[in-house]
Amino acid sequence: MALEKAKNVLGGDLEVCCIDPLTGFMRDGYCNTNDMDHGTHVVCAIVTAEFLAFTKARGNDLSTPAPQYQFPGLKPGDGWCLCALRWKEAYIAGFAPPVKLSATHEKVLEYIDLDVLKEFSID
């Protein structure tokens, strides 16, 4: 029996978010999730300088490389699977980065309304 493909927020098959740098909780380029993903890394975002500064100020530095975790550090324009609640926090604070809806996992809808995500859509 084949596994069902994950769905995006638009109801289609989940598309790749980014492979350079390689993103996703499972580091497969997709914003997939499972029970071990306590951060719910399901929002495919295109990070901005403003967002990177915001998240760094909140204690999650995504711009500094961490080779021990095979993490290159992000720069504006990179795609990355963000935690649903971090994106929502950035949205409330006015720093939410754009999102690729076709690569954003449907699980995010448990945390963020689709109409809000559509406001930031790049696809």
Side-chain angles (χ1 to χ4, degrees):
M1 182 170 130
L3 293 175
E4 277 191 49
K5 289 191 93 168
K7 297 295 183 189
N8 63 38
V9 295
L10 302 173
D13 288 343
L14 188 65
E15 295 181 11
V16 70
C17 179
C18 188
I19 56 169
D20 186 19
L22 192 57
T23 190
F25 178 73
M26 298 171 213
R27 288 297 190 269
D28 61 0
Y30 292 83
C31 295
N32 264 314
T33 189
N34 62 28
D35 292 341
M36 293 174 31
D37 179 12
H38 300 294
T40 317
H41 296 77
V42 293
V43 178
C44 179
I46 307 304
V47 298
T48 61
E50 296 80 11
F51 172 77
L52 290 170
F54 169 80
T55 195
K56 184 175 184 176
R58 295 292 191 274
N60 186 18
D61 181 0
L62 295 175
S63 52
T64 302
Q68 68 273 32
Y69 301 111
Q70 294 81 45
F71 179 69
L74 302 179
K75 61 188 182 314
D78 284 342
W80 198 249
C81 295
L82 297 178
C83 296
L85 293 178
R86 176 60 55 149
W87 190 93
K88 186 175 184 177
E89 179 185 20
Y91 167 72
I92 292 167
F95 297 103
V99 297
K100 184 177 174 185
L101 296 178
S102 59
T104 296
H105 195 285
E106 66 183 352
K107 184 158 181 74
V108 75
L109 299 175
E110 296 176 17
Y111 305 93
I112 303 165
D113 189 77
L114 181 58
D115 289 336
V116 170
L117 293 169
K118 284 182 175 179
E119 291 176 37
F120 292 85
S121 174
I122 60 162
D123 59 354

